[in-house]
């Protein structure tokens, strides 16, 4: 029997209490006495949250191991307080068959740092021409419920309609990368006066908004769920708000970086800030924050996109899109919407844990920190401040936009299925994590 006592944590940011974890389950909460042979974590001054869930992670494996592996990516996830991640399908080979999604599932189980839920591709090879094996992936051991061609837009309206009809038969969801390809040929940054000044091809807001408008109407027409990846414009917020008021089953996510950073960062041509969709205007950032606060935007998702150094340490035009974000997500959310008074910690639990779990149909997160539930939790020190550096990263790539930037908050501990994966801010060795999981299973 394994037993862990977390003492004095502010549960969801409210009054301090103790949590007892036994054999992977939260078995008691309140004012608790230490029992014999019990491991104790002193959590005074810390906020206890349910383990974070990311609906949008790029783990790169198979095929992109130079950037990230399932092991290194889930270590980064644990460092950021995550206990579950949804791994996007744009691997090599693409996760468009039952075999590939089951491979990713097994790699996650072997790593032991987080539950890895594979995302299946909507179309074969992400080519946008023929539907992938959606039913086979849904019936596989991976039980895929989220399908996305992320990195590419499902731009053919008939294919999108068929995909929505298909996933509706088993309560799945299509997560759309909203980018009209004809309007973004050669696009490098947000379209506006700054893109003209810098001489970079603009990425118009309407390229995102037009796809969202089309897809919410398609979802309504066929009675399916559609999820919009990484909203970035105020206009997109308006469309999602309108669709929800109409009763359409649409959910939406925003990335931490779109809640904090603006297009002004492109002035230095530093490719760390090149991302898809691009950083937008301050007016868009404020609209996204307000939409997250009022529930129009359902969740925060990292779009963690690791790249090797050579893909980012080059000219802006040649650089790859994307930035890593698992380790920094909670700090950025704290700065953007908690420290500004827009959200409390219970709201953070909703947008970074229970909300994404619900969209992905991931079990075990509906009643955060309740007795009888799986012990997936995160302890955060909100008073901590630090200047971010690559030493804070635990994945394989270092393309963070926050280097040399001060951010609040620190994940002190992460517990996945009763097993500490992060203690005192340090990621636990994989052999120790594996042995602890084995001990929990033995009970």
């Amino acid at each position: 029997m394994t037993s862990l006592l977390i003492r004095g944590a502010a549960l969801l940011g409210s009054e301090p209490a103790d949590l007892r974890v036994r054999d992977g389950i939260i078995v008691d909460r309140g004012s608790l006495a230490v029992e014999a042979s019990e491991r104790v974590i002193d959590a005074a001054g810390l906020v206890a949250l349910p383990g974070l869930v990311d609906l949008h992670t790029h783990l790169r494996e198979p095929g992109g191991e130079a950037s990230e592996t399932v092991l290194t990516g889930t270590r980064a996830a644990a460092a950021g307080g995550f206990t579950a991640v949804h791994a996007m399908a744009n691997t090599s080979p693409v996760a468009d068959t039952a075999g590939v999604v089951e491979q990713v599932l097994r790699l996650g189980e072997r790593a032991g740092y987080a539950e890895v839920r594979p995302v299946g591709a909507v179309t074969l090879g992400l080519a946008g021409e023929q539907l992938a094996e959606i039913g086979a992936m849904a019936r596989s051991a991976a039980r895929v419920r989220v399908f996305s061609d992320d990195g590419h837009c499902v731009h053919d309206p008939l294919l999108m309609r068929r995909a929505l009809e298909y996933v509706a038969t088993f309560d799945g969801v299509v997560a759309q990368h909203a980018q009209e390809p004809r309007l973004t040929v050669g696009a490098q940054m947000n379209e506006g006066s700054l893109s003209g000044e810098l001489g970079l091809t603009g990425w118009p807001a309407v390229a995102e908004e037009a796809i969202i408008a089309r897809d919410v109407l398609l979802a309504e027409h066929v009675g399916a769920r559609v999820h919009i990846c990484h909203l970035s414009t105020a206009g997109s917020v308006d469309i999602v708000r309108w669709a929800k008021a109409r009763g359409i089953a649409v959910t939406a996510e925003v990335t931490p970086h779109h809640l904090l950073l603006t297009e002004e960062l492109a002035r230095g041509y530093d490719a760390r800030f090149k991302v898809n969709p691009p950083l937008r205007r301050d007016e868009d950032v404020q609209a996204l924050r307000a939409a997250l606060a009022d529930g129009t935007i359902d969740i925060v998702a990292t779009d963690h996109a690791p790249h090797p150094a050579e893909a980012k340490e080059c000219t802006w035009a040649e650089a790859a899109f994307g930035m890593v974000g698992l380790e920094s997500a909670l700090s950025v959310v704290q700065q953007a919407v908690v420290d500004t008074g827009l959200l409390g910690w219970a709201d953070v639990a909703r947008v970074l844990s229970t909300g994404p779990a619900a969209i992905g149909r991931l079990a075990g997160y509906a009643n955060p920190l309740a007795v009888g539930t799986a012990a997936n939790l995160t302890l955060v020190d909100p008073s901590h401040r630090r200047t971010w550096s690559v030493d804070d990263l635990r994945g394989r790539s270092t393309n963070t936009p926050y280097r040399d930037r001060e951010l609040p908050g620190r994940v002190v501990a992460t517990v996945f299925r009763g097993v500490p994966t992060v203690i005192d801010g340090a990621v636990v060795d994989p052999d120790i994590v594996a042995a602890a999981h084995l001990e929990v299973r033995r009970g």
Side-chain angles (χ1 to χ4, degrees), residues 108-329:
E109 291 173 343
R110 190 181 307 161
Y113 285 96
E115 182 169 356
V116 175
R117 293 296 305 271
V119 174
V122 176
T123 67
L124 281 175
L126 309 177
E129 297 175 352
Q130 184 179 348
L131 287 183
E133 298 175 7
I134 290 175
M137 289 187 277
R139 293 189 299 271
S140 73
R143 297 188 70 255
V144 177
R145 289 296 178 270
V146 182
F147 295 84
S148 180
D149 277 3
D150 183 61
H152 303 269
C153 179
V154 183
H155 59 85
D156 183 322
L158 183 57
L159 264 182
M160 186 64 180
R161 171 180 176 165
R162 298 301 182 222
L164 288 167
E165 289 173 332
Y166 205 156
V167 301
T169 62
F170 52 83
D171 195 27
V173 64
V174 175
Q176 176 66 292
H177 175 114
Q179 178 190 346
E180 168 50 58
R182 294 290 300 278
L183 293 174
T184 53
V185 174
Q188 294 286 317
M189 65 167 293
N190 183 48
E191 181 179 276
S193 58
L194 184 59
S195 63
E197 178 184 339
L198 298 179
L200 296 173
T201 303
W203 187 307
V206 70
E208 176 175 309
E209 294 157 5
I211 293 295
I212 296 173
R214 182 201 74 178
D215 287 351
V216 295
L217 290 172
L218 283 174
E220 179 183 46
H221 184 64
V222 303
R225 292 195 294 139
V226 65
H227 175 75
I228 309 300
C229 297
H230 38 54
L231 251 70
S232 70
T233 77
S236 295
V237 167
D238 290 340
I239 296 166
V240 171
R241 184 175 287 125
W242 171 85
K244 287 192 170 188
R246 192 176 166 98
I248 298 172
V250 57
T251 53
E253 70 186 37
V254 62
T255 70
H257 46 273
H258 285 108
L259 288 172
L260 188 67
L261 309 177
T262 72
E263 63 173 1
E264 285 295 319
L265 290 163
R267 284 191 181 278
Y269 296 98
D270 184 340
R272 287 183 301 139
F273 302 110
K274 183 177 177 181
V275 67
N276 178 350
L279 301 176
R280 303 288 190 179
R281 307 163 303 162
D282 183 65
E283 303 94 292
D284 296 299
V285 170
Q286 299 310 318
L288 293 167
R289 290 182 181 186
L292 187 66
D294 71 20
T296 301
I297 294 177
D298 301 85
I299 67 168
V300 174
T302 70
D303 194 10
H304 176 81
H307 290 292
E310 60 269 23
K312 296 298 273 187
E313 295 175 2
C314 54
T315 66
W316 181 283
E318 294 173 331
F321 291 96
M323 49 184 66
V324 296
L326 285 168
E327 298 98 329
S328 55

Side-chain angles (χ1 to χ4, degrees), residues 375-391:
N376 297 317
L377 55 96
T378 302
L379 299 176
V380 185
D381 179 1
S383 66
H384 187 85
R385 297 194 71 87
R386 60 178 160 173
T387 299
W388 206 259
S389 78
V390 294
D391 292 336

